[in-house]
Amino acid sequence: MDDVTRFLAEQQYVELTTFRRSGAGVPTPVWVAPDGDDLLVVTVDGTGKTKRLAHTDRVELRPCSVRGEVAPEAPRYAGRARVERDAASVARVKRAIGAKYGWWYRALTVVEPVLERLPGRRPRAAVVITDVVPLDS
């Protein structure tokens, strides 16, 4: 794991910015966990993040608070992201997030198996972030 990946993986929250077709960025605070050289995010499929990643794999990352507040001096990073929807990929992300966030993650997902059976419930998707490099020098 390189220093950039390690730094971002150590953050409690990371602002993940995905981009609209117009080029406008849409920031979202997320949990992120490392897996080798990749950074992993779990999300609900069909959200804005997954829709925007369908047309561009460009993302930006910055450390942030739970509310998405970013310190003025926070470093910015660029990367590539892809959405993976297969069961093995989603399980990989859930394991990594669970290992990093422990009981916080388990508390939020304890009712997930029941909720997944409800009509209209959207499945989870894995966001795999690669090729992360600093934007600010």
Side-chain angles (χ1 to χ4, degrees), residues 16 18 45 50 63 65 76 85 95 103 108 117 119 129 133:
L16 172 66
T18 53
D45 200 8
T50 61
S65 72
R76 293 181 332 139
R85 295 173 171 89
R95 276 191 308 275
W103 71 268
L108 290 173
R117 293 187 202 125
I129 303 166
V133 296

Side-chain angles (χ1 to χ4, degrees), residues 6-21:
R6 182 176 293 107
F7 172 75
L8 288 167
E10 290 171 351
Q11 305 304 308
Q12 188 70 17
Y13 295 94
V14 172
E15 178 189 75
L16 172 66
T17 300
T18 53
F19 294 88
R20 293 185 173 133
R21 291 181 194 276

Side-chain angles (χ1 to χ4, degrees), residues 7 11 61-64 69-77 136-137:
F7 172 75
Q11 305 304 308
L61 304 145
R62 296 190 302 174
C64 71
E69 298 154 340
V70 177
E73 72 283 353
R76 293 181 332 139
Y77 301 92
D136 304 322
S137 305

Side-chain angles (χ1 to χ4, degrees), residues 53-120:
L53 288 170
H55 68 81
T56 181
D57 65 353
R58 177 178 157 224
V59 295
E60 289 183 9
L61 304 145
R62 296 190 302 174
C64 71
S65 72
V66 65
R67 289 185 168 83
E69 298 154 340
V70 177
E73 72 283 353
R76 293 181 332 139
Y77 301 92
R80 301 286 171 208
R82 67 183 180 275
V83 178
E84 296 180 357
R85 295 173 171 89
D86 62 282
S89 295
V90 173
R92 170 187 175 208
V93 173
K94 286 182 176 184
R95 276 191 308 275
I97 296 288
K100 178 177 176 182
Y101 292 95
W103 71 268
W104 282 102
Y105 179 71
R106 287 189 297 279
L108 290 173
T109 60
V110 71
V111 295
E112 192 170 288
V114 173
L115 294 175
E116 285 178 349
R117 293 187 202 125
L118 295 176

